[in-house]
């Protein structure tokens, strides 16, 4: 590792000197800059899914929603197999901050807190001599005190006229700073101010720059009101049930579809208490016409928020180039998870289906990444911290469960890299009516087990916050398995769990899943109620 770091440092220095000679105006470092090690900027948007990043070539790519992000990918590396271990805001951020899975770091649900003593990533960066800053959406409740500087949105954060808590504005939790304007613009303004006035030029920096957008309910800046207004947004075929008759299981549809209207909030009017058809007041007939109209409104609002993020990143990137920081800064762009954009008639995230589980992940680093690199390395968000620490010249601490992929930024894949990644969603039927589940995703297959039990027994019998009445209490729902052949069925429309042709594959994946749960300390030792259900249904 030490020899690798030395070689990398020399390469960085050589390439920097070469680029500086060729473009002294845009790329020359400011006087007194420390260029021996790269700066690192970790950019994360909330709920920005791969389907809405042009570089990933999805059905939305023709709309050109992200030209600045796409250019970043073209000049760097695009990773196509990056997944979260729990598709929901707080646990995903906990994984990134700790390099640990949820039962190890204690961040299982939206209700959990990451105290300063476990804010490992900025702590380790500080040990390596980096100036650290956290700006934007934090969503981990406790003060981000492990950072040298923070300026974070209050709780979830408001889109308009947001409040922040700032390390230079008093004592937590009363250190409020209020702004007028749109949060995406303001987060960028705060970051630019930190780079201009608070950054120490004789020290490398580690900056986490996090947007609220494009989180539900997609309140875009007024200047984007006409964006895509007269454009038809391409629809996923499986938005409509008739196009996916073999999708799901009794866990997600019930026996003879008796829970199809109960499980998973929807774009159509399928879900009785939360759908975009109802939310946007769409009354068109027939039903598919109303669903299509709701989808169009949903996507336009969402993509207007995405456009705001991309435009603001253009501002940030222009500043980095003008100040000579572009060549010696590792820039990472990602979302905190994926997001369902109408696939399977679902909204939000939480699901283990790829649109929800997959994270966009783009890295730009001229000194260390060849332009146009594509990687299929199977990565999850516990790996982000170890990788950034490695790029900063450090090593992965023993307490982190993730693994650095800094040695494989050329698109290569070592033989000893993981062959599958683990997923776990805990918040059974909370907010968006997704059953509790866990499973494995390999490059070719996906195995999902819905154990479908409430996380806390005291929740049994109480209604979700989105329900208008308690007609549907939070109770256990049917337990079932789902299995998808991702090569033949990348949209996950056909559950092949009962197909005898896959019996050996499924048995092998079950063995791997059990072994991985033990290795990662995800065995539910503190939840005997779950263990009983799991063991009773493992071989069914």
């Amino acid at each position: 590792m030490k020899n690798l770091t030395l070689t990398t440092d020399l390469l960085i220095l050589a390439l920097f000197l070469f680029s500086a000679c060729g473009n002294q105006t845009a790329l020359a470092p400011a006087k007194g800059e420390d260029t021996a090690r790269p700066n690192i900027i970790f950019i994360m948007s909330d709920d920005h899914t791969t389907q809405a990043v042009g570089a990933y070539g999805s059905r939305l790519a023709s709309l050109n929603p992200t030209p600045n992000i796409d250019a970043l990918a073209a000049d760097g590396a695009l990773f196509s197999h990056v997944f979260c271990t729990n598709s929901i805001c707080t646990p995903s951020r906990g994984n990134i901050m700790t390099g640990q899975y949820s039962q190890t770091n204690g961040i299982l649900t939206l209700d959990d807190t990451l105290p300063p003593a476990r804010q490992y990533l900025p702590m380790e960066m500080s040990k390596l001599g980096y100036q650290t800053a956290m700006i934007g959406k934090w969503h981990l409740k406790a003060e981000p005190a492990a950072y040298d500087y923070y300026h974070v949105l209050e709780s979830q954060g408001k889109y308009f006229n947001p409040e922040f808590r700032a390390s230079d504005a008093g004592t937590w939790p009363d250190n409020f700073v209020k702004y007028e304007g749109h949060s995406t613009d303001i987060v960028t303004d705060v970051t630019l101010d930190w780079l201009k006035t608070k950054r120490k030029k004789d020290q490398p920096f580690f900056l986490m720059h996090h947007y609220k957008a494009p989180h539900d309910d997609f309140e875009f800046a007024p200047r984007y009101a006409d964006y895509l207004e007269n454009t038809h947004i391409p629809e996923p075929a499986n938005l409509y049930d008739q196009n996916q008759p073999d999708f799901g299981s009794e866990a997600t549809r019930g026996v003879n579809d008796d829970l199809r209207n109960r499980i998973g909030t929807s774009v159509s009017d399928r879900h009785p208490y939360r759908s975009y058809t109802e939310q946007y007041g769409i009354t068109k007939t027939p039903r598919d016409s109303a669903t299509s109209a709701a989808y169009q409104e949903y996507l336009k609002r969402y993509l207007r928020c995405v456009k705001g993020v991309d435009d603001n990143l253009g501002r940030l990137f222009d500043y980095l180039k003008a100040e000579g920081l572009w060549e010696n800064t590792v820039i990472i762009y990602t979302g905190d998870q994926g997001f369902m954009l109408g696939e399977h008639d679902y909204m939000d995230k939480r699901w283990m289906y790829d649109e929800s589980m997959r994270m966009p992940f783009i890295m730009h680093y001229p000194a260390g990444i060849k332009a146009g690199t594509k990687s299929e390395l199977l990565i999850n968000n516990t790996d982000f911290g170890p990788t950034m620490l490695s790029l900063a010249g450090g090593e992965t601490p023993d307490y982190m469960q993730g693994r650095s992929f800094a040695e494989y930024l050329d698109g290569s894949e070592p033989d000893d890299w993981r062959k599958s990644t683990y997923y776990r969603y805990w918040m059974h039927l909370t907010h968006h009516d997704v059953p509790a589940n866990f499973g494995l995703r390999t490059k070719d297959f996906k195995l999902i087990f819905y154990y479908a039990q409430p996380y806390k027994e005291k929740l049994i019998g109480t209604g979700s916050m989105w329900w208008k009445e308690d007609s549907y209490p939070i109770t256990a729902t049917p337990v079932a398995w789902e299995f998808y052949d991702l090569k033949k069925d990348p949209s996950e429309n056909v559950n092949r769990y009962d197909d005898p042709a896959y019996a050996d594959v499924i048995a092998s994946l079950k063995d791997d899943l059990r072994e991985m749960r033990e290795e990662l300390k995800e065995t539910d030792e503190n939840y005997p109620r779950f263990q009983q259900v799991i063991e009773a249904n493992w071989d069914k």
Side-chain angles (χ1 to χ4, degrees):
M1 179 62 73
K2 289 182 180 178
N3 290 336
L4 174 64
T5 301
L6 179 59
T7 302
T8 302
D9 286 344
L10 291 173
L11 175 62
I12 292 168
L13 182 59
L15 287 174
F16 179 81
L17 291 172
F18 174 81
S19 64
C21 291
N23 190 354
Q24 293 180 2
T25 301
L27 300 178
K31 186 176 181 180
E33 290 280 358
D34 179 350
T35 59
R37 288 176 294 164
N39 306 306
I40 300 173
I41 302 179
F42 182 86
I43 304 168
M44 187 160 69
S45 296
D46 196 314
D47 295 344
H48 192 188
T49 183
T50 55
Q51 305 97 281
V53 177
Y56 281 91
S58 76
R59 68 180 186 277
L60 303 178
S62 62
L63 303 176
N64 193 29
T66 53
N68 289 303
I69 297 171
D70 297 348
L72 194 75
D75 289 338
L78 183 142
F79 295 79
S80 59
H81 287 70
V82 179
F83 301 94
C84 60
T85 64
N86 185 350
S87 182
I88 194 167
C89 300
T90 305
S92 178
R93 293 163 196 271
N95 294 153
I96 295 167
M97 286 291 167
T98 64
Q100 298 173 337
Y101 291 80
S102 293
Q103 287 197 48
T104 298
N105 66 32
I107 311 295
L108 310 179
T109 73
L110 290 174
D111 300 324
D112 296 314
T113 299
L114 187 67
R118 287 191 280 122
Q119 295 168 15
Y120 298 135
L121 182 53
M123 292 165 60
E124 294 294 339
M125 283 291 182
S126 293
K127 292 177 185 178
L128 295 171
Y130 276 69
Q131 182 186 11
T132 62
M134 168 70 221
I135 297 171
K137 183 169 178 178
W138 170 240
H139 213 240
L140 287 165
K141 294 184 174 60
E143 180 182 14
Y147 291 88
D148 297 321
Y149 176 83
Y150 64 80
H151 206 105
V152 295
L153 285 162
E154 159 66 3
S155 187
Q156 175 66 247
K158 297 186 295 183
Y159 267 113
F160 288 98
N161 303 329
E163 293 181 330
F164 290 70
R165 287 190 174 109
S167 56
D168 57 358
T171 303
W172 183 280
D174 299 319
N175 48 345
F176 287 112
V177 181
K178 297 182 180 181
Y179 293 88
E180 292 185 2
H182 192 272
S183 70
T184 303
D185 300 332
I186 293 166
V187 167
T188 307
D189 290 342
V190 173
T191 284
L192 290 173
D193 178 70
W194 183 83
L195 288 167
K196 294 173 183 177
T197 67
K198 300 177 177 66
R199 180 175 64 91
K200 298 177 181 178
K201 295 185 178 181
D202 60 350
Q203 187 177 4
F205 66 84
F206 169 62
L207 167 65
M208 300 197 89
H209 172 85
H210 293 185
Y211 291 113
K212 172 185 172 64
H215 191 280
D216 194 5
D217 191 30
F218 323 122
E219 297 178 33
F220 49 86
R223 63 183 180 273
Y224 297 110
D226 295 331
Y227 177 63
L228 300 174
E229 181 63 23
N230 298 314
T231 301
H232 179 78
I233 311 299
E235 300 175 350
N238 58 9
L239 172 62
Y240 304 98
D241 267 4
Q242 61 266 29
N243 295 336
Q244 50 170 353
D246 299 313
F247 164 69
S249 61
E250 289 188 4
T252 57
R253 305 182 68 108
V255 179
N256 298 321
D257 272 4
D258 65 350
L259 289 178
R260 184 58 179 145
N261 292 347
R262 167 74 170 91
I263 302 297
T265 52
S266 57
V267 176
S268 75
D269 63 0
R270 174 181 54 78
H271 193 275
Y273 296 138
R274 190 160 192 220
S275 71
Y276 283 128
T277 304
E278 178 193 41
Q279 187 170 332
Y280 298 145
I282 294 172
T283 58
K284 288 185 177 182
T285 57
R287 184 182 187 188
D288 283 358
S289 295
T291 301
S292 180
Y295 171 84
Q296 294 297 316
E297 183 66 21
Y298 172 24
L299 266 291
K300 288 175 182 178
R301 294 187 185 201
Y302 179 88
L303 290 172
R304 287 165 186 160
C305 289
V306 168
K307 178 65 171 172
V309 167
D310 191 77
D311 285 351
N312 271 280
L313 289 179
R315 292 173 58 205
L316 175 59
F317 297 163
D318 285 347
Y319 175 82
L320 295 173
K321 293 172 184 177
E323 293 298 311
L325 296 170
W326 187 250
E327 292 291 307
N328 196 45
T329 298
V330 176
I331 300 174
I332 295 171
Y333 182 80
T334 188
D336 56 350
Q337 65 263 318
F339 206 66
M340 307 300 294
L341 296 181
E343 297 86 3
H344 305 298
D345 190 29
Y346 290 141
M347 63 162 80
D348 200 67
K349 53 259 186 183
R350 303 161 191 263
W351 297 101
M352 197 180 161
Y353 305 122
D354 265 13
E355 295 86 0
S356 170
M357 181 186 180
R358 180 186 283 122
M359 308 170 77
F361 197 86
I362 292 164
M363 290 187 69
H364 183 269
Y365 182 31
I369 299 175
K370 183 179 178 181
T373 297
K374 300 288 180 68
S375 175
E376 295 186 356
L377 197 66
L378 193 60
I379 295 164
N380 71 47
N381 53 355
T382 67
D383 301 324
F384 296 176
T387 300
M388 289 186 279
L389 291 173
S390 180
L391 290 168
E395 298 185 357
T396 303
D398 291 340
Y399 61 77
M400 287 190 175
Q401 296 169 297
R403 178 177 173 183
S404 170
F405 53 92
E407 297 178 58
Y408 311 110
L409 300 182
D410 59 355
S412 62
E413 299 184 37
D415 292 337
D416 64 346
W417 194 261
R418 72 167 61 88
K419 300 300 187 289
S420 59
T421 186
Y422 181 71
Y423 182 89
R424 174 70 176 272
Y425 175 69
W426 291 78
M427 298 183 71
H428 179 69
L429 299 189
T430 305
H431 303 166
H432 286 274
D433 291 352
V434 177
N437 65 87
F438 60 74
L440 281 186
R441 207 263 193 212
T442 73
K443 286 192 176 180
D444 294 335
F445 304 110
K446 182 177 293 180
L447 182 67
I448 309 171
F449 179 61
Y450 291 94
Y451 63 94
Q453 296 287 313
Y455 167 51
K456 295 180 180 179
E457 290 190 67
K458 68 179 182 179
L459 289 178
I460 295 175
T462 62
S464 163
M465 64 178 289
W466 289 111
W467 296 338
K468 296 177 180 176
E469 56 185 77
D470 288 340
S471 299
Y472 293 114
I474 296 180
T475 58
T477 49
V479 175
W481 291 90
E482 294 181 11
F483 170 81
Y484 296 94
D485 183 334
L486 301 173
K487 291 294 185 183
K488 293 181 178 179
D489 179 26
S491 297
E492 298 169 279
N493 289 329
V494 181
N495 177 13
R496 301 178 184 273
Y497 182 74
D498 292 324
D499 186 338
Y502 292 96
D504 290 344
V505 173
I506 292 170
S508 178
L509 286 173
K510 283 187 177 182
D511 289 342
D512 292 345
L513 178 57
R514 190 184 291 275
E515 181 179 331
M516 184 173 289
R517 279 170 54 79
E518 293 173 357
E519 176 188 338
L520 300 177
K521 302 177 182 178
E522 291 278 336
T523 53
D524 297 349
E525 292 180 2
N526 297 324
Y527 305 94
R529 179 164 50 91
F530 295 169
Q531 286 186 321
Q532 183 178 1
V533 171
I534 292 166
E535 293 304 321
N537 292 275
W538 192 262
D539 295 321
K540 289 188 177 180

